[in-house]
Each structure stands twice: as C-alpha cells, then as structure tokens.
C-alpha cells in the first residue's frame, strides 16, 4: 500500500471544491425552481452533504460504476452527470438522460458510470455487487460504488450485499452517508450500536468512520478503499458523517430536527469552509473562486433554459424503452 496516493494535493482540493460548489449551487437552484412553479417534481435536498460525492468524483474514473438512491443527485453530479441532460430529465423532457421517463427518482447516465438511481431503500447495494462481479469476470480494475443513508444501513439487502462482497472479494465500496436522520427519525432511535462502520468487522472487511465534511479526511479514506478494490483486496464500508440542512423531502418542515443542532451544522457548512481553506493556503484567490462560481451559475442557467425549451414526451412513447424489442403498434 506504500505506493498509494492517499493525501489530497492542492490540485485535488481545488477540483473537489469546484464539484462541491456546483452541487451547492445546483441544489439552491432546484429549490428555487420548485418554489417558482417552473418545474414540479419530487425532490430530496442534499444540501450539506456536498463534500462526499465531490471527493468520490475526483478519485473515480468514468468507467467506475455508481449506484445511488433518491437523495443522490449530488452523487451523480459529483461524478460528472451533464447538467443539460440532468435538468431536462428533472423537467420530464425528451432531451433528458432517460427521455423524460425517469425523473429525479430514476436518473441514470452510463457514459459516466452512473448506472442506476433507485427509489427502493437499500437496493443500491445488490446492484453494485452485480456490477462489481462483472469487473471480476472481465478481469478489469474497475470499482463499483453504492451510496445509501444511515436508515438504509438497517435494511437486509445492505447486509446481504456486504456479506457476499466479502465472500467473493468484490471491488465494491459501500458508502453510507450518515446525515443522522432517516426520514424523520434520529440515528439513535433506530440504529443499534454507536456507529455503522463497526458492522464491517462481522463481514471481514475494513470499516472506516470518517468526517464526510472534511475534504482531506474523506479523500484519504475513499482513496484507500478504491486502491484496495482495484488491487483485488475486496470491499470496504465507509461511514461518512455529515448532515442535511433541510427536511427529508421538499416540503418537509424539518421540525423534528433540534434547532440548535441544525444551526450548528449550517454554521459549519463544509463548502464555504473548504473555500476559506483554499484562500488561506493560497491554492486559489478570491477572484479565481468567484469567477469559477459565476461560471457554474451560468452553466446551470444554460441547463435550465435548455430543459424548459425541450419538448414533452408524446403519449405514444410509453410503448417504447420497456422491452428489448419495440412493441408493434
């Protein structure tokens, strides 16, 4: 393991910030768009959890695969999901990544290794194992990542998948984004034990609990998991501690979150914290970061304009993309 780069250099930190700034701006725009009535959609805000997927996107290759859940737009954007195709799909238009048929709950973009978004809690893990098994069969060094929340960590499919991944030494990386709330229930009220990472010991794999809001800590932990997987050493469970700033879904008033806890989390917002670090360490200037952020806003403007100008699917399109062969009229 001596040759593995496990420390984020200045270039990696700058790239991680670029991705995180995009995720932050994209979430803020999504909430504004829903409130304005421009797009009606089910939406699960990921605000506060931007560093985890930004690190993953920096380290993973395009051919590495990702299976995520309904609160997973940040995971996909972090891995390079094109903004135009994303927003068109959110808007239900034919130019979307799934021709407007998937929407926010079923986003996919295989050219970037983004294989599935599932609305079934915990089901990302077995699918990720299948993709990991494929890498063994074709003798490649791709890795397969599945993301899920702390609530999903108690679903049987997660445990079955971790056990199988360990038995077969699959290159699967299990990324639990522990934001301390499963829908409306606190972590302590629904999870036995003090953490999720310790469960890995029962499956014979490394389990690491890491500050998912710390870019450098997250980088080291994820880089090690990827290196192990590429080397054929098997799976890793990462419990990435974070916090979501808003309710379970858009419209949830989050009254169940203690106000002081929420205020502290927002005060420690990981995106501006990384931004300040880049300036303090002279990795980037205020002007350079402001220009980057302005460009991100322009990209989102363009994507939203593209989406809203795109056509709706025709009713007849329901007959297509269901079976391998097209149905006859």
């Amino acid at each position: 393991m001596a040759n593995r780069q496990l420390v984020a250099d200045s270039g990696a930190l700058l790239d991680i910030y670029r991705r995180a700034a995009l995720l932050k701006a994209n979430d803020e725009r999504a909430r504004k768009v829903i409130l304005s009535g421009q797009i009606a959609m089910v939406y699960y805000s990921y605000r506060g959890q931007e560093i985890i997927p930004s690190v993953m996107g920096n380290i993973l290759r395009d051919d590495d695969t990702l299976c995520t859940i309904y609160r997973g737009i940040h995971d996909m954007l972090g891995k390079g999901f094109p903004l135009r195709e994303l927003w068109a799909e959110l808007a239900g238009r034919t130019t979307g990544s799934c021709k407007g048929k998937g929407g926010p709950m079923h986003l996919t973009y295989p050219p970037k290794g983004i294989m599935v978004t599932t609305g079934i809690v915990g089901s990302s893990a077995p699918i990720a194992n299948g993709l990991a098994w494929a890498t063994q069969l074709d003798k490649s060094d791709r890795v397969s990542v599945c993301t899920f929340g702390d609530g999903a960590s108690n679903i049987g499919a997660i445990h079955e998948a971790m056990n199988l991944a360990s038995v077969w030494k699959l290159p699967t990386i299990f990324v639990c984004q522990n934001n301390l709330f499963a829908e409306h229930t606190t972590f302590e009220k629904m999870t036995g034990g003090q953490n999720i990472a310790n469960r890995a010991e029962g499956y014979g794999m490394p389990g690491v609990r890491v500050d998912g809001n710390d870019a450098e800590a997250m980088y080291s932990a994820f880089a090690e998991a990827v290196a192990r997987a590429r080397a054929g050493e098997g799976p890793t469970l990462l419990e990435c501690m974070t916090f979501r700033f808003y309710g379970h879904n858009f419209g949830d008033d989050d009254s169940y979150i203690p106000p002081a806890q929420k205020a502290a989390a927002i005060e420690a917002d990981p995106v501006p914290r990384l931004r300040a670090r880049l300036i303090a360490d002279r990795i980037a200037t205020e002007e350079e970061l402001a220009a980057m952020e302005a460009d991100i806003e322009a990209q989102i403007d363009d994507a939203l304009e593209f989406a809203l100008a795109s056509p709706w699917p025709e009713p007849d399109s329901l007959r297509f993309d269901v079976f391998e062969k097209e149905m006859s009229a």
Side-chain angles (χ1 to χ4, degrees):
M1 296 186 184
N3 295 326
R4 298 175 181 175
Q5 180 180 343
L6 304 179
V7 178
D9 58 21
S10 59
L13 288 174
L14 185 59
D15 180 69
I16 290 166
Y17 178 74
R18 178 186 61 78
R19 295 172 194 265
L22 169 62
L23 306 190
K24 175 179 177 291
N26 194 77
D27 179 80
E28 291 170 347
R29 183 67 63 89
R31 288 182 279 111
K32 289 179 182 178
V33 163
I34 296 171
L35 284 172
S36 71
Q38 289 178 286
I39 296 177
M41 61 175 169
V42 177
Y43 186 68
Y44 299 87
S45 174
Y46 53 79
R47 186 70 185 88
Q49 301 182 205
E50 294 89 350
I51 298 301
I52 299 166
S54 297
V55 168
M56 293 195 304
N58 174 264
I59 294 173
L60 293 173
R61 305 187 314 227
D62 284 353
D63 63 338
D64 294 324
T65 56
L66 171 68
C67 296
T68 187
I69 57 171
Y70 49 81
R71 193 188 313 281
I73 291 177
H74 59 323
D75 297 333
M76 291 175 269
L77 276 177
K79 201 173 186 301
F81 201 120
L83 278 169
R84 280 190 164 194
E85 285 86 344
L86 172 70
W87 275 97
E89 190 60 36
L90 296 179
R93 308 304 174 94
T94 58
T95 52
S97 60
C98 295
K99 303 179 184 178
K101 300 178 182 181
M105 294 284 283
H106 301 290
L107 290 157
T108 181
Y109 193 75
K112 286 290 185 178
I114 301 162
M115 305 308 293
V116 68
T117 304
T118 174
I120 302 174
V121 176
S123 66
S124 58
I127 301 170
N129 268 358
L131 292 162
W133 188 29
T135 71
Q136 283 190 339
L137 294 176
D138 64 19
K139 296 180 170 51
S140 78
D141 68 344
R142 297 190 308 272
V143 303
S144 177
V145 178
C146 68
T147 64
F148 52 94
D150 47 293
S153 71
N154 298 321
I155 297 294
I158 297 288
H159 296 270
E160 293 166 1
M162 287 197 292
N163 183 66
L164 183 63
S166 183
V167 170
W168 287 0
K169 281 192 150 331
L170 296 177
T172 310
I173 302 172
F174 299 91
V175 178
C176 175
Q177 299 187 35
N178 188 347
N179 60 26
L180 304 179
F181 287 89
E183 292 195 3
H184 313 96
T185 307
T186 62
F187 177 72
E188 294 81 7
K189 287 183 178 179
M190 69 172 297
T191 302
Q194 296 182 341
N195 65 56
I196 292 166
N198 285 349
R199 298 175 180 180
E201 184 177 356
Y203 299 113
M205 70 173 75
V208 180
R209 194 182 222 207
V210 60
D211 182 352
N213 289 349
D214 183 316
E216 291 175 299
M218 184 66 208
Y219 184 97
S220 295
F222 191 72
E224 173 65 14
V226 170
R228 289 190 70 257
R230 292 207 199 284
E233 296 170 16
T236 300
L237 169 62
L238 296 179
E239 180 185 11
C240 309
M241 304 306 298
T242 185
F243 197 87
R244 57 173 164 88
F245 292 171
Y246 298 100
H248 173 60
N249 60 338
F250 192 85
D252 173 0
D253 67 4
D254 72 27
S255 58
Y256 50 88
I257 301 178
Q261 184 182 22
K262 178 178 178 178
I266 293 175
E267 179 67 23
D269 189 333
V271 181
R273 188 171 72 186
L274 178 57
R275 189 184 197 278
R277 161 76 191 283
L278 294 177
I279 294 173
D281 288 357
R282 298 184 179 181
I283 295 173
T285 65
E286 167 66 35
E287 293 73 22
E288 289 169 339
L289 296 182
M292 176 193 294
E293 291 151 3
D295 180 63
I296 286 170
E297 292 290 348
Q299 292 177 45
I300 297 173
D301 288 340
D302 170 75
L304 181 57
E305 181 179 351
F306 171 80
L308 295 177
S310 297
W312 296 97
E314 294 293 334
D316 190 55
S317 67
L318 286 172
R319 299 188 299 109
F320 302 100
D321 305 310
V322 178
F323 300 100
E324 182 181 3
K325 295 182 179 180
E326 294 182 359
M327 298 171 61
S328 58

